[in-house]
Amino acid sequence: MRRRLVSALLLATLAACSTQQELRMAAQQEQFGRAAASQGDWAQAMRSYAAAVDNVELGRGDLAWQARLHHQAGRAASAACRYDAAEFHFRNAIALAKRSTQSSALSYKALIDLYERQGKTAEALAVRNELGWHQSWALGAFADLESLPVGQPCGTPP
């Protein structure tokens, strides 16, 4: 009986160490993502933020942190013209923000902008309807807060 108790305690200690290691790795990957984004290397930023998301999930990290990382990965994916990945990350950011009782307004705004940039007005309208008129109207307050740097449009040769 004593041997089982010691084994269980040892396993719990090892699991806690592993969790902390994954969260430290996530923080480091988030920094790598920020550095890549500041240099305009959006593909690398997207990969770093996505890796950070994976580690926060493995380490059972805070839902608000996961939402923020998904949002940043979505912004980087959008700037890298990876619209499918951007949509995935923005939708996950919205869902996680709601579960953590944090605001999902920036991710909603980014998703609407993503659809509008692609000419997907029906999808943008559906997201606005999901929010409701009052909340959708209020998103205008975030107009310049999260804007991406202006560069060449996607699909334009260098």
Side-chain angles (χ1 to χ4, degrees):
M1 182 65 150
R2 184 175 181 186
R3 184 176 283 167
R4 286 184 192 168
L5 182 60
V6 169
S7 293
L9 185 58
L10 181 60
L11 286 175
T13 302
L14 289 174
C17 289
S18 174
T19 298
Q20 291 303 311
Q21 181 179 0
E22 287 155 344
L23 295 178
R24 280 192 299 274
M25 181 64 78
Q28 186 177 32
Q29 289 164 328
E30 183 178 17
Q31 289 176 340
F32 292 153
R34 264 192 238 117
S38 72
Q39 296 172 1
D41 187 351
W42 297 110
Q44 180 58 49
M46 179 183 67
R47 287 189 298 271
S48 295
Y49 285 125
V53 166
D54 291 342
N55 276 307
V56 171
E57 288 174 359
L58 286 171
R60 294 183 295 280
D62 181 55
L63 292 176
W65 186 14
Q66 289 179 46
R68 186 181 74 238
L69 290 171
H70 270 293
H71 179 80
Q72 294 302 332
R75 291 185 71 235
S78 178
C81 303
R82 290 283 317 279
Y83 297 137
D84 56 337
E87 179 182 1
F88 169 81
H89 287 296
F90 289 140
R91 290 218 173 263
N92 277 302
I94 291 165
L96 287 163
K98 286 179 179 178
R99 285 180 45 210
S100 71
T101 67
Q102 298 294 314
S103 173
S104 56
L106 288 177
S107 295
Y108 269 114
K109 172 78 170 113
L111 184 60
I112 291 167
D113 290 347
L114 177 73
Y115 286 141
E116 288 176 347
R117 271 197 312 275
Q118 296 175 78
K120 295 182 174 181
T121 54
E123 288 86 343
L125 182 60
V127 173
R128 287 186 187 279
N129 289 339
E130 184 180 322
L131 278 172
W133 186 84
H134 290 290
Q135 289 177 331
S136 177
W137 179 81
L139 290 179
F142 296 109
D144 293 325
L145 190 61
E146 283 279 298
S147 61
L148 291 169
V150 176
Q152 291 182 320
C154 294
T156 303

